[in-house]
Amino acid sequence: NDTIALSENGVTAKVLERYALAVFYYSTDGPNWKEDWNFLSDRDVCLWNDGLRVGGENTIGIRCPQPNSNVNNVQFVQTGLNGTIPWELSLLSDLYFLR
């Protein structure tokens, strides 16, 4: 049910964000995280952790400065990640904080 797709008029950055974060999910054993963080839902990636601990430096999950903007913060401290951080996170053009 994912409505994001590459097209002539599509926003490539959003497709790359979804791809990079999906790779992150699977390479860090996402199905076994302590919380599912709404990853891989059909919502905008900025809303995947909607309703969870969000707030500046204490953000857990994904943070975007504004709704429908680009991801700039990925923080999964003590959340049960297991695996490796994939190079695909470098596709997040606005990412400045990874923890």
Side-chain angles (χ1 to χ4, degrees):
N1 297 336
D2 193 341
T3 59
I4 301 291
L6 282 176
S7 68
E8 189 172 322
N9 298 325
V11 180
T12 304
K14 285 297 179 185
V15 174
L16 288 175
E17 280 186 337
R18 290 181 88 76
Y19 169 72
L21 292 168
V23 172
F24 172 74
Y25 178 82
Y26 286 111
S27 69
T28 57
D29 197 25
N32 293 309
W33 291 350
K34 291 180 183 177
E35 300 278 344
D36 73 5
W37 307 106
N38 298 315
F39 254 68
L40 308 182
S41 71
D42 60 353
R43 300 175 80 186
D44 184 280
V45 297
C46 295
L47 300 175
W48 279 358
N49 60 322
D50 186 35
L52 303 173
R53 261 192 319 173
V54 177
E57 294 298 316
N58 297 318
T59 297
I60 299 296
I62 294 171
R63 181 166 184 242
C64 302
Q66 299 172 13
N68 298 314
S69 63
N70 293 334
V71 173
N72 69 358
N73 184 326
V74 176
Q75 188 167 192
F76 285 85
V77 177
Q78 299 177 351
T79 56
L81 271 64
N82 185 28
T84 58
I85 304 296
W87 72 265
E88 286 85 355
L89 284 186
S90 68
L91 297 172
L92 301 175
S93 60
D94 290 351
L95 183 66
Y96 73 87
F97 192 83
L98 173 64
R99 186 168 121 178

